[in-house]
Every structure is written in C-alpha cells, then in structure tokens.
Amino acid sequence: MKLRAFYQLVYLSAFIPNLKGACTTDKILLRWPLTPEVCSDQVLSNPDLWFSYCPHTFVQDLPAPHTPPVSPFSVNLSADSVLDLRITTAPSGDYGFSAFVRPDTNNDSCILHYKSDDGSFEMKFLSTASETRVSVIGWTSVAGNNLLVKEWQRIAMAMDASQSKLNLIIEGAPFDDTDVNSFDQKPGTPALSFKTPGTLRVGGSFDGETFSGLVSCVGFVEDKTIDCSTGCYDATTWSSINMYPEKRHYGTFLPTESGKIPIQTPTSATFADSMSSCALQCLKDVLLCVSLAYNSITGVCSFYRNFFFVTLTASRNTTLYVLQPY
C-alpha cells in the first residue's frame, strides 16, 4: 500500500549513489544497467535521477551466466512498453549506442531510435527476419546479419567520424570479443554530427515501430566500436559509493510500503524514538543506507542499501521509506 504523505528531513546527511562498472573508460558517456535499482537512470552521470519504483517488468535473465544468481537484471519490453533515455551530452567525434538484446520473435522491429529534440538528427537500429539495418536518417544506412531469436546478442550502431563511416556491430556469446561481426557503409559524404538534446528510445521507435524481447545494459559511448562487454552484465562489478558528502544536511524520505518489510537481511538495525531519528541515523551513521523500515510500536529501525526490493513480507506497524532524488 502506497502512502501519500512524505517526510522532509532538513539538516540530515544525504547519500547519493554512483555506479561504476569494471569496464570504466573515458569513452563511456552514459551507461544504463537496467536493474530495478536504477531502472532508466543515467548511472555514469546525473546520479540524482533515482526513484524507488520502476514502471517496467524485470526478469532474472542475464546476457551471461553468473554464480551465485543475481537479482533481476533485464527489462522486458514489448509493443506497449518502451524505455526513453535522455541524452544531453554531445560527443565531439565518434559516437555510438549499444545494448544487450534477446528478441522474442523475428518480426520487423526497431530496437534503438535516437532523435534530437529539434528533429534534425536521427539514428535507428532496425531488425527483420532477414537482416539488421542501422541508419542515420538523411545520410546513409548499413545492413547486417539477422538477429537470433531467444538468444542474447550485443548490438551497436556507431559513427566513425574521421572516416565518415557508419558501423553496425553484432556480438555473440560468450561476449569475450571472440564472436564479433562488423558491417560498415562509407557513402563518400561527410558524417553528420551528433545533435543534442534528444531522446534514445529503447524497444521501439518514434515512428510507431516496436520490439518484443529482453534488453540489458544500454550504453552511449564516444567511440566508433561496440561498448566494452565486461563489467556490464555481471552485477557484482557494480558498487555504490558515497560521492557527495557535502549533502549531509538534508534528505527526503518517501513511504512506499505499509505493513511490509524486505525479506533480505538489513545492513544493520537499531532502536529510534521516531521515524525522523531513524532517518537521521540512516543518512549520518550507516554506510550505503538509502532505505529504512521503521516500526512505530517497537521502535525498531532497520537499514538497507537498496532502492528497490523484489520480495516483501508482512510486518505489522512497519513502514518502508526510500530516500528520494535531490
């Protein structure tokens, strides 16, 4: 049960997480792991866009096996569910988008479509039963192999600005750079510069085309090749770090569940005489605390490091609170 009321805490310490992958290069401009914890947030920049609940369905299916099993890590997109990601950073030279995809069908579809707000620049990745095709609208397009149904693949559309060449890249498992197919087209005219601001639509297009399947780890890179494969689908490589100690004087907590708590073990627990006191301890004293559960009768205050919880269990007189965006 969601509650409308919320607590605004002033003079508290704030925690803003930033996620870093094992594959950290200065060519990665934005990276969306697409876990429930971050949903559509831009995790390598704009780390203040977090929210506690995500409108998309996640499934426990990864582009590569992982032991032990990790939390749901892939978003399930369909005709009525697309993911729109804002782009405000304009690369000066090469540029490209990549994503892990697992198509449900080989129907005609659009997996990626970037469009600038003024409509002067568009870039699309289309898929059919016989081929894939990347295009920069009004400039050129390049065709490649068709995608395999029900199998994970890494796709990319990228611009080699110095060569004025458009690249289409498909990588297969095990995603260790041993199964990469590249296709390119060089039309003989200067490459178009990337335009911002704009929106990258994942799982569909602004022209009405759709996609059905799983998507994970979308990347926007300042490079002409595919985004690095390591550190993206392995959840153990993502870690939260308190990057903003200067915001230790305020925070807003929103109650998201009443009468329920996460089944996972809290980072720590203590007693507090009020929710405000509990929240103050979460922000000031508990490392990586971004959620808390407070029992108004017993005073038990439990701290958690996650924004999103897959499974909850009943707990009378307890309310779950999540730290909100700044």
Side-chain angles (χ1 to χ4, degrees), residues 101-103 105 146-153:
V101 296
R102 185 181 183 272
T105 71
N146 61 295
L147 295 179
L148 302 177
V149 176
K150 304 293 185 180
E151 292 190 24
W152 280 107
Q153 294 130 101

Side-chain angles (χ1 to χ4, degrees), residues 126-146:
L126 302 173
S127 176
T128 71
S130 59
E131 68 172 18
T132 50
R133 183 169 293 273
V134 166
S135 61
V136 173
I137 309 303
W139 187 61
T140 193
S141 65
V142 54
N145 296 341
N146 61 295

Side-chain angles (χ1 to χ4, degrees), residues 169-251:
I169 306 168
I170 302 174
E171 182 181 9
F175 307 111
D176 58 1
D177 302 322
T178 60
D179 183 14
V180 180
N181 293 288
S182 299
F183 311 87
D184 61 75
Q185 178 66 29
K186 190 174 183 179
T189 55
L192 299 184
S193 298
F194 194 86
K195 298 291 183 63
T196 57
T199 300
L200 174 66
R201 175 157 290 182
V202 182
S205 79
F206 298 101
D207 304 317
E209 296 137 321
T210 60
F211 168 78
S212 179
L214 302 180
V215 178
S216 187
C217 198
V218 180
F220 176 41
V221 297
E222 194 169 22
D223 201 7
K224 60 188 175 185
T225 60
I226 198 167
D227 185 10
C228 53
S229 296
T230 58
C232 194
Y233 48 80
D234 184 349
T236 64
T237 63
W238 301 93
S239 60
S240 299
I241 302 173
N242 185 352
M243 300 291 290
Y244 296 89
E246 70 275 11
K247 288 187 175 181
R248 289 180 175 174
H249 59 287
Y250 69 96

